[in-house]
């Protein structure tokens, strides 16, 4: 409770500072905010469709990624430097094109346009195209260079309307309760600037979003289109190369052609075996018949005409075999070859007939062989076998040609098969890559269409409105804040002083600093308001001191009041005189002893004294001795004299600083005392509130003073003081 009362007293003591200084701050704040700029706020609402919109790839929401993430990305795109930079330049272009120095319009107020127009150099004004906002924007963008001397670059960095950071700081982008709708708000001290900033932003950020979303898809589509075109060219080239190869090598159907070749080779083997077998049988029969014919056979073989005819037959058979071979290779469609074959067969028949006639003419006169067999029969068989052997020999010769042709065909077709397989694998590889890229291209185009659908859902539900009414200003909050801040700073300032200050001032501070109980306070004289009450207040303080001291005195022994102080001018002499006069007036026997009058501070009699009688031999036992000692900082007091004191009263001014040397002197006194409870502090030159703590309410007793005193004593529900006039 003492702490609370101390705080209340502290605030009451600095009441004028707390009342005047915050009021001064309030007046200064009111003067400085009298022309406070008004803010105009506008907003726009955008429907995105990224959460619940239709998706042609299946499901709902925007294709590609989490829907909420896409909305967050869209909200970030609104505030990116690239978007805000374009908004800044387009807003500047619009203001320069449509601003009017004499009349406010929907683009910029006349006052702000005059300030803007005055700051724009002539070379920048020359870039303004009055007929096209896009052309003006293009000119500004081309003119801008990252240089401190470039006006456009400086404008987009520092201007309150066109600076990127200034626009972003006043731009508020929020999502409505995790829905498809976002709200964009903007405020400025010019209604036209606020409206046009959002109006431009609506179109710019949608275009930026489309470029970002389409950019990656378009790049992928272009890549796939290039790859598809490249693979298609490779596939066509590979197929054309295969066609040319087939044409060059006369390949219609490699599998069927090789199958026919294999069949020909197999038939050739069978035919060779048959012919070889027939030839062997014919040779055996010829040998057998020649053995039976004996010299007759030799006669035939030695006959030149016969041998020539046989050779002709062999030649004709060879020719027939070659013609048949040529006919079989030509597919039987060569009429000239067929005609020649027919002529050869006729020639063979004619030659065969001639051989037989020649044989008959040679064998005339021969009847039979040695075994009795008719000669003409053996000769016919021998001649038939001879002709058959020649025919077989001729066919074997033709078969050799056919075998060579087949071997050449095998050597021809063997590498073609490997080459065709390699070309087919290459075509299949290119075709598979082509189909894969074609599928990826179709998927990318589908995604592009999906993005077009989702981006098309970016619709402005509520376009920005031109703000006609300004927002309420926070001037009252500024005034209240300045008042409260000043009040708080003043209180903190004096509170810090209160904590650090070592002025004794009142009972609580004195007891906190010195650790010695305070017996009372004596007031300082008032020179103005309470001047006529000085005597009354002094008497009240003196009676309180007497009332506090007398209970310590005991009958039947010597009572001594020791008045001590650490330095001079603390009021010991005045206090001792007043006490002496008051106690004498009430009938007490008092003896007052003062240093330098009744004893000397440097006298050995004082220094070596052990009793009060050493200072005043004639003092009576029933007299109260009031002893005023010299300053503790300059002189020492014998311990025996201090211990003889019934009360040792440390007198000091309340408005002085309690220094370290004072505390040291107090400690020395405490160390000398056997009964430290006899040591008290007494404050002189005290304030009224410090005195009232001991004597009660001081005059005058007006209603206001009664009310203040009652509050200081926390008498919140008490009645008025009966001293009130």
């Amino acid at each position: 409770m003492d702490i609370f009362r101390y705080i209340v007293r502290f605030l009451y003591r600095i009441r004028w500072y707390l009342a005047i200084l915050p009021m001064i701050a309030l007046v200064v704040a009111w003067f400085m905010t009298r022309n406070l700029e008004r803010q105009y706020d506008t907003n726009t609402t955008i429907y995105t469709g990224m959460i619940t919109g239709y998706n042609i790839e299946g499901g709902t929401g925007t294709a590609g990624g989490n829907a909420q993430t896409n909305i967050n990305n869209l909200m970030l795109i609104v505030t990116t430097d690239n978007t805000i930079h374009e908004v800044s330049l387009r807003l500047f272009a619009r203001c320069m094109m449509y601003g009017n120095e004499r009349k406010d319009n929907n683009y910029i107020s006349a006052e702000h346009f005059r300030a803007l127009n005055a700051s724009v150099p002539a070379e920048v004004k020359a870039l303004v195209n009055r007929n096209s906002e896009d052309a003006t924007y293009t000119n500004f963008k081309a003119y801008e260079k990252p240089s401190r001397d470039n006006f456009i670059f400086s404008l987009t960095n520092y201007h309150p309307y066109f600076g990127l950071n200034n626009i972003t700081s006043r731009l508020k982008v929020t999502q409505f309760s995790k829905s498809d709708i976002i709200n964009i708000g903007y405020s400025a001290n010019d209604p036209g600037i606020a409206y046009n900033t959002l109006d431009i932003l609506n179109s710019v950020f949608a275009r930026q979003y489309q470029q970002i979303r389409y950019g990656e898809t378009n790049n992928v589509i272009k890549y796939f289109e290039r790859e598809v075109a490249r693979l298609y060219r490779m596939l066509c080239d590979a197929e054309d190369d295969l066609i040319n190869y087939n044409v060059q090598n006369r390949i219609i159907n490699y599998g069927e052609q090789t199958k026919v070749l294999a069949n020909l080779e197999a038939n050739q083997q069978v035919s060779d075996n048959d012919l070889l077998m027939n030839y062997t049988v014919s040779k055996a029969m010829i040998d057998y018949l020649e053995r039976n014919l004996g010299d007759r056979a030799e006669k035939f073989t030695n006959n030149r005409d016969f041998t020539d005819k046989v050779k002709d037959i062999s030649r004709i058979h060879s020719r027939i075999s070659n013609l048949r071979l040529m006919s079989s290779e030509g597919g039987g469609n060569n009429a000239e070859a067929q005609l020649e074959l027919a002529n050869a067969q006729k020639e063979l028949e004619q030659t065969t007939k001639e051989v037989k006639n020649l044989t008959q003419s040679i064998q005339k006169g021969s009847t039979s062989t040695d075994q009795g067999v008719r000669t003409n029969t053996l000769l016919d068989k021998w001649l038939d076998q001879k002709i058959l052997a020649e025919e077989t020999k001729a066919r074997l010769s033709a078969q050799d040609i056919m075998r060579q042709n087949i071997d050449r065909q095998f050597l021809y077709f063997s590498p073609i098969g490997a080459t065709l397989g390699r070309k087919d694998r290459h075509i299949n590889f290119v075709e598979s890559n082509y189909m894969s890229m074609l599928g990826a291209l179709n998927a990318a185009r589908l995604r592009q269409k999906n993005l077009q659908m989702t981006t098309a859902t970016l619709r402005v539900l509520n376009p920005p409105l031109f703000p006609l009414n300004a927002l309420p200003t926070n001037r009252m909050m500024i005034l209240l804040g300045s008042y409260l801040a000043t009040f708080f700073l003043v209180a903190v300032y004096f509170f810090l002083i209160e904590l650090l200050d070592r002025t004794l001032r009142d009972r609580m501070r004195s007891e906190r600093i010195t650790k010695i109980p305070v017996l009372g306070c004596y007031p300082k004289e008032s020179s103005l308001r309470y001047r006529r009450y000085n005597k009354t207040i002094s008497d009240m303080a003196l009676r309180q001191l007497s009332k506090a001291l007398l209970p310590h005195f005991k009958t039947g022994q010597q009572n001594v009041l020791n008045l001590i102080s650490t330095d001079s001018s603390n009021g010991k002499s005045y206090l001792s005189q007043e006490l002496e006069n008051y106690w004498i007036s009430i009938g007490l026997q008092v003896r007052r002893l003062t240093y330098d009058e009744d004893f000397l501070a440097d006298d050995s009699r004082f220094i070596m004294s052990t009793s009060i009688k050493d200072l005043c031999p004639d003092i009576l036992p029933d007299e109260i001795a009031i002893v005023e000692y010299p300053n503790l900082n300059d002189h020492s007091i014998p311990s025996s004299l201090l211990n003889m004191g019934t009360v040792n009263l440390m007198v000091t001014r309340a408005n002085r600083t309690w220094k370290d040397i004072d505390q040291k002197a107090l400690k020395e006194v405490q160390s000398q005392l056997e009964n430290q409870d006899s040591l008290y502090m007494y404050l002189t030159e005290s304030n009224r509130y410090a005195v009232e703590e001991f004597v009660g309410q001081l005059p005058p007793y007006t209603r206001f003073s009664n009310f203040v005193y009652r509050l200081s004593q926390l008498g919140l529900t008490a009645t008025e003081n009966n001293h009130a006039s």
Side-chain angles (χ1 to χ4, degrees), residues 152-213:
I152 300 294
F153 182 76
S154 301
L155 187 81
T156 56
N157 280 275
Y158 308 116
H159 198 277
Y161 295 154
F162 314 112
L164 304 187
N165 293 332
N166 294 324
I167 295 177
T168 305
S169 63
R170 295 195 297 268
L171 199 62
K172 298 178 181 178
V173 185
T174 56
Q175 180 185 4
F176 285 150
S177 302
K178 296 184 179 180
S179 65
D180 289 316
I181 300 174
I182 63 174
N183 182 74
I184 305 175
Y186 188 75
S187 61
N189 62 352
D190 189 297
I193 293 296
Y195 167 75
N196 285 280
T197 300
L198 280 192
D199 183 56
I200 296 172
L201 181 64
N202 276 347
S203 59
V204 171
F205 94 86
R207 185 168 61 255
Q208 292 283 352
Y209 177 73
Q210 291 177 0
Q211 290 176 355
I212 292 174
R213 295 288 288 177

Side-chain angles (χ1 to χ4, degrees), residues 599-601 603-609 615 629-630 636-638 641:
F599 60 89
L600 299 175
D603 190 1
S604 61
R605 188 163 61 94
F606 167 72
I607 297 173
M608 302 303 295
S609 61
L615 301 179
Y629 290 102
S636 62
I637 302 175
L641 294 179

Side-chain angles (χ1 to χ4, degrees), residues 214 217-218 221 444-453:
Y214 289 163
T217 306
N218 291 338
I221 289 176
R445 284 176 173 167
L446 179 64
R447 181 177 178 81
Q448 184 185 45
K449 292 300 181 183
N450 195 22
L451 290 176
Q452 289 177 354
M453 290 181 60

Side-chain angles (χ1 to χ4, degrees), residues 80-320:
T80 56
D81 286 348
N82 192 31
T83 303
I84 302 302
H85 183 267
E86 183 174 349
V87 171
S88 172
L89 291 185
R90 289 188 177 276
L91 179 63
F92 178 57
R94 185 172 293 184
C95 291
M96 292 302 296
M97 289 176 63
Y98 305 111
N100 193 321
E101 293 185 351
R102 294 183 297 274
K103 183 180 179 181
D104 295 344
N105 54 31
N106 290 343
Y107 302 99
I108 187 173
S109 64
E111 177 187 358
H112 294 147
F113 180 70
R114 286 193 296 269
L116 174 64
N117 195 45
S119 64
V120 178
E123 59 182 0
V124 176
K125 293 180 182 179
L127 300 175
V128 177
N129 188 332
R130 300 290 178 180
N131 299 321
S132 174
E133 184 178 315
D134 291 335
T136 304
Y137 164 75
T138 304
N139 294 338
F140 286 162
K141 190 172 183 180
Y143 177 81
E144 183 182 17
K145 296 294 184 298
S147 172
R148 185 181 295 272
D149 298 331
N150 188 276
F151 177 80
I152 300 294
F153 182 76
S154 301
L155 187 81
T156 56
N157 280 275
Y158 308 116
H159 198 277
Y161 295 154
F162 314 112
L164 304 187
N165 293 332
N166 294 324
I167 295 177
T168 305
S169 63
R170 295 195 297 268
L171 199 62
K172 298 178 181 178
V173 185
T174 56
Q175 180 185 4
F176 285 150
S177 302
K178 296 184 179 180
S179 65
D180 289 316
I181 300 174
I182 63 174
N183 182 74
I184 305 175
Y186 188 75
S187 61
N189 62 352
D190 189 297
I193 293 296
Y195 167 75
N196 285 280
T197 300
L198 280 192
D199 183 56
I200 296 172
L201 181 64
N202 276 347
S203 59
V204 171
F205 94 86
R207 185 168 61 255
Q208 292 283 352
Y209 177 73
Q210 291 177 0
Q211 290 176 355
I212 292 174
R213 295 288 288 177
Y214 289 163
E216 54 187 21
T217 306
N218 291 338
N219 292 336
V220 171
I221 289 176
K222 290 179 181 178
Y223 168 75
F224 285 143
E225 287 177 344
R226 290 194 302 269
E227 287 298 304
V228 166
R230 182 180 65 85
L231 291 173
Y232 180 74
R233 289 193 300 270
M234 289 179 62
L235 182 61
C236 292
D237 293 341
E239 291 176 343
D240 292 342
D241 181 63
L242 178 61
I243 292 173
N244 294 332
Y245 185 80
N246 287 334
V247 171
Q248 291 175 3
N249 294 278
R250 302 175 61 81
I251 304 299
I252 297 176
N253 189 327
Y254 180 78
E256 293 297 328
Q257 286 179 289
T258 53
K259 187 183 296 185
V260 170
L261 182 61
N263 292 332
L264 286 176
E265 199 273 337
N267 294 332
Q268 178 70 24
Q269 292 290 339
V270 173
S271 178
D272 286 346
N273 292 334
D274 291 341
L275 290 175
L276 192 60
M277 185 181 298
N278 293 334
Y279 183 74
T280 303
V281 171
S282 296
K283 290 292 291 183
M285 288 296 295
I286 290 172
D287 292 340
Y288 172 74
L289 292 173
E290 285 181 351
R291 285 196 303 273
N292 290 330
L293 289 174
D295 295 336
R296 292 182 182 85
E298 185 176 357
K299 186 187 297 185
F300 281 99
T301 56
N302 292 332
N303 189 293
R304 184 175 180 86
D305 294 333
F306 180 80
T307 57
D308 290 340
K309 294 296 183 181
V310 172
K311 289 180 181 180
D312 289 340
I313 291 172
S314 178
R315 177 181 57 77
I316 294 171
H317 273 295
S318 296
R319 183 181 176 192
I320 291 172

Side-chain angles (χ1 to χ4, degrees), residues 22-42:
M23 188 59 67
I24 294 175
L26 180 64
V27 172
V28 172
W30 176 85
F31 181 79
M32 294 182 66
T33 58
R34 69 189 187 281
N35 294 323
L36 190 64
E37 287 188 340
R38 308 296 298 272
Q39 291 293 317
Y40 296 86
D41 188 20
T42 184

Side-chain angles (χ1 to χ4, degrees), residues 6 492-503 505 509 512-513 657-658:
Y6 184 82
V492 169
Y493 172 76
F494 282 101
F495 182 72
L496 291 176
I497 292 178
E498 188 74 14
L499 291 178
L500 300 176
D501 188 18
R502 289 180 61 83
T503 304
R505 188 178 296 136
R509 286 180 59 84
R512 178 172 62 84
I513 295 173
T657 301
W658 188 254

